[in-house]
Amino acid sequence: MRFEKISTKGFGCLKDWESPKIYGNIVVVYGRNESGKSTLFNMVDTIFYGWSPATAQKHPYVPWDGSYGECSADLLIDDRRYYVGRKLMSRPTGILKTDNKSVDIGNDTLPMVEDISRDIYREVYALTSEELNLPSQILWEKLKDQLLAGQYYSFIRPASVVIKALEDEAKSLWRPDRRGKPKSKLLKKELAALRRELSKCEERDRELYQIEERLRNYERRLDELIQEKIELTAYIDWCENILPIERKKEELRSLLEEAGEGAPFAHIPSNVDERLSAIEEDVRKYKKEIEVKEFEIEKLDKICENFSDLDALICAHERKIDELVRCYGQIEGDIERKKKLSRDLNTIEATLRRDGGELIIGGWKDIYISPLMSVDGAVLRQKVSHYSDIKNEIRNRQAKHTAMKIEDSPKLNSKKLVPTGILLSVLGVMGLLLKSSLMKFGGMLFLAIGIMSLTFGLTFKGGKSLGKDVIHDEEEALKRLDAELKKMQGEIYDCLHGIPFASIDEAYMGESIIVDVDRLKRHIESLCTTKEEYDYIDSGMAKKAHEVDALIKDCMLESTQNILGNIDLLNRKLKAAKDRKYKSEEARDKSKEYRKSIEGLRAILEELECERATILSDLEGFDGNNVEEKIEDLRRRRELYLKAQLLEKQLEIEKKN
């Protein structure tokens, strides 16, 4: 025997658990403490021998969540597969399947292990790891006790005890010396008493059979007498009913003669007068209803005529008009934005002309925009900085040259140069602290002269002459610097592409030219950005205006010469056209319903007229000068015919009886 698979829906700590496919003969179950190894060990025992204890309340491995215990296994025995399933609910159940056969085993032991008791299985075949630990001292002592002291497993008893138990059981069943009351003697007495009772029962059974035979003979005779009585009674009744039947036949003939040949009148209504009145009333009602519906159709046709070809044309452009209406807010915003941009353009242009008039000789001209925007600010800043450096150096050398001339002059007194230099230096510092560019320039000049005066005063204290060669060198250096300054001024003018800025002046040119250029460039950039946005919006609005004008023309409407006004006009016309279209379609549908209803009413009228003509035609065969008298004759004949039918049915019943 080999397990192929074990599974359970609820057994102890295992819930919806299933083992993998088992292929080998040796299976090792490995796991931590409390992981379910002992539970699996007991589940195998339950699969073999059933539930013990067999109640859900006492079994230790029934799940605590209230569900029932269940386990199953697939077994392979001699190349034959078995399925074993066991459940423990209110009572234990079990099933054994093989070869499409199913056997209910309840809580019994499996047939293939019934030769081995549960105790033998647990103590011999189901050994735990502790019991297999052979070197254990406890196990050796247990083996010694079993081998030497004559102790056995709990399921094995000594031979003497077994023999004595067998002899006691045999004596209780049968004894050869006839002593005591063994079970065999008691059974013989009971058997003799039962045989006596059996003979009495057989005698009584024969008596009952004879009585039943006589009873059946009496019942057959009684049935024959009852049948004879029935036949005689029927014959007497038949004889008594002959005369009344003949009388009824005579009465039937007279009724049929009086009813006439037109009977049975089934095709004429029973309430023919009421039906004729109802037909007249229905005819008047349906004719009135037809007149009302025809009048309604005329009104609906007028509503349909209100939807003109122009409305259909406008509705055909519904999608384009809806798109324009959705763009209404955007167009309105573009118009406002365009107005604002126009105002901004005027403001920027005015500012540009004003600042250009202040900064450029001859005022601002639009031809300055392109060269001004192409001015390289970094190159201009570099050249202006170089220009300022040359200019400062010229000032310093001029001051030095003046001081040297004074020193070389016979009237020059070095003692007076020191306080004069100090005074000029103080005045120069004060001039530099002022905001005016002219004052700053004067301050720089005074500061340079003061420094030179101090230098010469301290240098030529002894009143020595500097010499004409030194003064001549200084004058040559000043000439070179003036030439370089003129050249740099020309380069700055070329850098500005010939734009005649007022600040390009030998006396004033400096950082202010950079500020002036940046100022005008910002105005031009703002002007270009604003104009670009203005042109973009203007182009979009022109395109949208062309689209609106084309749509106005397609819809055969008169333009309002205003894009928003045209959109409003299209929207109003579309709403009115859609309203008339909806009413026209609704009126057309109602008109179809009314026409269909009128056709049905006319068909009903034809049926009513036909029915009335048929009834009047059927009444022509009856006696009377008018319709009322003919209807009265119809009722009389119908009553006679009904009486005749009743008599005929009675005769048929009596004839059968």
Side-chain angles (χ1 to χ4, degrees):
M1 176 189 295
R2 182 166 63 82
F3 280 89
E4 289 191 332
K5 187 173 69 174
I6 305 174
S7 60
T8 177
K9 289 188 177 180
F11 194 93
C13 64
L14 300 177
K15 183 74 173 177
D16 294 327
W17 177 85
E18 182 176 330
S19 71
K21 187 75 174 179
I22 301 172
Y23 296 100
N25 293 324
I26 299 176
V27 180
V28 178
V29 180
Y30 174 77
R32 296 188 298 273
N33 292 337
E34 304 299 330
S35 62
K37 299 188 297 297
S38 301
T39 303
L40 181 60
F41 186 81
N42 284 275
M43 185 164 59
V44 174
D45 180 276
T46 303
I47 290 171
F48 281 154
Y49 296 100
W51 301 91
S52 179
T55 59
Q57 292 80 9
K58 295 181 180 179
H59 200 282
Y61 289 99
V62 172
W64 291 359
D65 58 0
S67 59
Y68 55 85
E70 181 178 358
C71 58
S72 61
D74 293 337
L75 306 177
L76 181 64
I77 304 174
D78 297 333
D79 296 331
R80 190 175 182 182
R81 286 180 170 79
Y82 294 85
Y83 170 79
V84 183
R86 295 186 183 273
K87 291 183 182 180
L88 181 58
M89 296 186 286
S90 59
R91 63 183 183 86
T93 59
I95 188 171
L96 176 64
K97 292 182 180 179
T98 179
D99 298 334
N100 297 325
K101 295 181 182 179
S102 179
V103 180
D104 185 6
I105 59 175
N107 200 37
D108 298 336
T109 303
L110 292 179
M112 56 282 293
V113 297
E114 61 185 0
D115 295 334
I116 302 173
S117 67
R118 188 191 291 264
D119 294 333
I120 294 174
Y121 169 77
R122 287 181 176 176
E123 296 192 19
V124 175
Y125 292 96
L127 300 177
T128 62
S129 59
E130 290 82 3
E131 292 171 337
L132 289 173
N133 191 8
L134 294 178
S136 172
Q137 184 65 30
I138 297 174
L139 183 59
W140 282 118
E141 291 177 359
K142 185 176 181 180
L143 291 174
K144 289 177 183 179
D145 291 340
Q146 292 173 352
L147 296 173
L148 302 176
Q151 294 185 359
Y152 304 92
Y153 285 106
S154 60
F155 58 86
I156 299 176
R157 293 179 296 169
S160 60
V161 176
V162 175
I163 293 170
K164 185 177 182 306
L166 292 173
E167 289 177 350
D168 292 341
E169 185 177 1
K171 288 179 181 179
S172 67
L173 297 176
W174 174 80
R175 293 187 66 177
D177 55 3
R178 296 182 179 276
R179 294 181 180 180
K181 292 183 178 181
K183 194 170 184 179
S184 61
K185 187 184 289 186
L186 296 175
L187 291 175
K188 286 180 180 179
K189 289 182 180 180
E190 291 179 4
L191 185 60
L194 290 173
R195 285 174 179 168
R196 289 193 296 271
E197 291 292 332
L198 179 61
S199 62
K200 292 180 182 179
C201 289
E202 289 176 349
E203 183 66 25
R204 290 176 184 172
D205 187 60
R206 285 192 294 271
E207 292 177 358
L208 285 173
Y209 179 76
Q210 294 173 358
I211 293 171
E212 288 177 355
E213 186 66 26
R214 289 197 301 272
L215 182 60
R216 283 193 291 272
N217 293 332
Y218 290 147
E219 287 178 351
R220 282 194 298 270
R221 179 59 182 162
L222 180 61
D223 292 338
E224 293 174 356
L225 293 174
I226 290 172
Q227 185 64 29
E228 185 179 357
K229 179 182 178 182
I230 291 171
E231 292 176 356
L232 292 173
T233 303
Y235 181 73
I236 293 170
D237 292 338
W238 180 79
C239 292
E240 290 178 351
N241 290 330
I242 288 176
L243 184 59
I245 289 172
E246 291 296 332
R247 290 177 181 173
K248 288 180 180 179
K249 283 184 179 181
E250 187 65 30
E251 184 179 0
L252 177 61
R253 281 193 297 272
S254 62
L255 288 173
L256 291 174
E257 289 176 358
E258 190 174 359
E261 296 180 358
F265 322 116
H267 58 285
I268 302 176
S270 58
N271 54 343
V272 63
D273 53 344
E274 296 178 0
R275 182 57 188 158
L276 288 172
S277 300
I279 289 173
E280 291 292 337
E281 182 66 27
D282 290 343
V283 168
R284 286 194 298 271
K285 182 181 71 174
Y286 291 142
K287 285 183 177 180
K288 181 66 176 176
E289 191 171 348
I290 289 172
E291 291 177 1
V292 172
K293 290 185 182 297
E294 287 177 346
F295 180 72
E296 290 293 332
I297 289 173
E298 292 178 1
K299 293 196 296 184
L300 292 172
D301 290 340
K302 291 181 180 179
I303 294 174
C304 292
E305 292 173 358
N306 290 335
F307 183 66
S308 62
D309 294 338
L310 181 60
D311 294 334
L313 181 62
I314 293 173
C315 289
H317 295 83
E318 179 182 356
R319 183 180 62 81
K320 293 183 179 179
I321 295 173
D322 288 340
E323 290 177 357
L324 290 175
V325 171
R326 286 195 294 271
C327 297
Y328 188 92
Q330 181 182 354
I331 294 171
E332 189 176 16
D334 288 344
I335 291 173
E336 294 298 324
R337 179 62 179 168
K338 185 178 175 182
K339 291 179 181 179
K340 183 179 181 302
L341 291 174
S342 179
R343 292 193 297 269
D344 293 344
L345 282 173
N346 294 332
T347 303
I348 294 170
E349 288 177 353
T351 304
L352 184 60
R353 283 193 297 271
R354 185 195 64 208
D355 293 348
E358 293 177 357
L359 301 176
I360 298 175
I361 298 172
W364 170 257
K365 297 177 183 179
D366 292 337
I367 59 174
Y368 295 153
I369 292 177
S370 178
L372 188 61
M373 292 304 294
S374 63
V375 171
D376 191 339
V379 175
L380 179 63
R381 188 175 297 276
Q382 181 182 5
K383 291 183 181 298
V384 169
S385 176
H386 191 195
Y387 180 86
S388 298
D389 293 340
I390 295 171
K391 198 171 182 180
N392 290 332
E393 188 176 355
I394 288 173
R395 291 191 190 113
N396 293 333
R397 286 188 175 274
Q398 285 177 349
K400 182 178 179 181
H401 181 263
T402 303
M404 289 174 67
K405 279 185 176 183
I406 295 170
E407 180 68 21
D408 193 55
S409 176
K411 295 181 179 180
L412 182 64
N413 190 357
S414 61
K415 293 182 180 179
K416 295 180 180 180
L417 289 176
V418 174
T420 304
I422 294 172
L423 179 61
L424 291 173
S425 298
V426 172
L427 291 175
V429 171
M430 292 176 65
L432 289 174
L433 294 175
L434 297 176
K435 294 182 178 180
S436 175
S437 59
L438 182 61
M439 298 299 261
K440 285 183 178 181
F441 177 74
M444 291 174 63
L445 184 60
F446 286 152
L447 181 61
I449 294 171
I451 292 172
M452 293 296 295
S453 299
L454 285 172
T455 303
F456 281 109
L458 294 174
T459 303
F460 302 103
K461 235 178 186 180
K464 293 181 180 180
S465 175
L466 296 175
K468 292 182 180 182
D469 293 336
V470 176
I471 295 173
H472 178 71
D473 292 339
E474 287 295 327
E475 288 176 352
E476 290 295 327
L478 282 173
K479 287 179 181 179
R480 287 195 305 271
L481 289 174
D482 285 337
E484 190 175 353
L485 185 67
K486 294 289 184 181
K487 180 182 178 182
M488 187 56 60
Q489 188 175 8
E491 290 180 1
I492 292 173
Y493 188 78
D494 293 339
C495 184
L496 294 175
H497 303 293
I499 300 174
F501 277 91
S503 54
I504 303 178
D505 190 291
E506 186 176 355
Y508 301 104
M509 188 166 60
E511 295 292 333
S512 60
I513 186 62
I514 300 173
V515 175
D516 295 344
V517 171
D518 290 341
R519 180 178 174 186
L520 293 180
K521 285 179 74 174
R522 284 197 302 272
H523 291 333
I524 294 171
E525 288 174 355
S526 178
L527 179 65
C528 292
T529 303
T530 306
K531 193 167 189 326
E532 183 179 356
E533 185 179 359
Y534 179 86
D535 292 340
Y536 175 77
I537 294 174
D538 186 62
S539 175
M541 286 188 61
K543 184 178 178 181
K544 192 65 71 174
H546 177 72
E547 183 181 352
V548 173
D549 291 339
L551 190 58
I552 285 284
K553 186 177 180 181
D554 291 341
C555 294
M556 301 177 67
L557 298 175
E558 186 176 354
S559 176
T560 61
Q561 306 302 323
N562 186 324
I563 185 171
L564 296 179
N566 286 339
I567 294 174
D568 289 334
L569 176 62
L570 288 170
N571 191 26
R572 289 197 306 273
K573 293 293 183 180
L574 177 62
K575 286 182 179 178
K578 286 172 67 177
D579 183 60
R580 284 191 289 270
K581 180 181 178 182
Y582 172 75
K583 290 180 180 178
S584 174
E585 291 175 351
E586 188 178 23
R588 192 178 298 109
D589 293 339
K590 286 184 179 179
S591 178
K592 288 181 181 178
E593 291 178 3
Y594 286 158
R595 284 188 170 86
K596 188 175 180 180
S597 177
I598 288 173
E599 290 177 1
L601 292 174
R602 284 176 177 166
I604 294 172
L605 279 175
E606 289 180 4
E607 292 177 359
L608 292 174
E609 293 288 350
C610 183
E611 184 181 359
R612 181 171 61 181
T614 302
I615 292 173
L616 293 176
S617 176
D618 292 336
L619 290 176
E620 290 296 328
F622 294 93
D623 298 334
N625 297 324
N626 52 37
V627 177
E628 288 78 9
E629 292 178 357
K630 290 181 178 182
I631 291 173
E632 189 63 31
D633 184 51
L634 170 65
R635 287 175 178 170
R636 183 181 63 80
R637 291 189 185 187
R638 181 168 282 164
E639 289 177 0
L640 294 174
Y641 181 73
L642 290 174
K643 289 181 181 180
Q645 280 187 320
L646 181 60
L647 282 174
E648 190 174 2
K649 290 180 180 179
Q650 290 177 357
L651 287 172
E652 289 177 359
I653 295 171
E654 290 173 355
K655 193 180 293 183
K656 290 179 182 179
N657 293 335

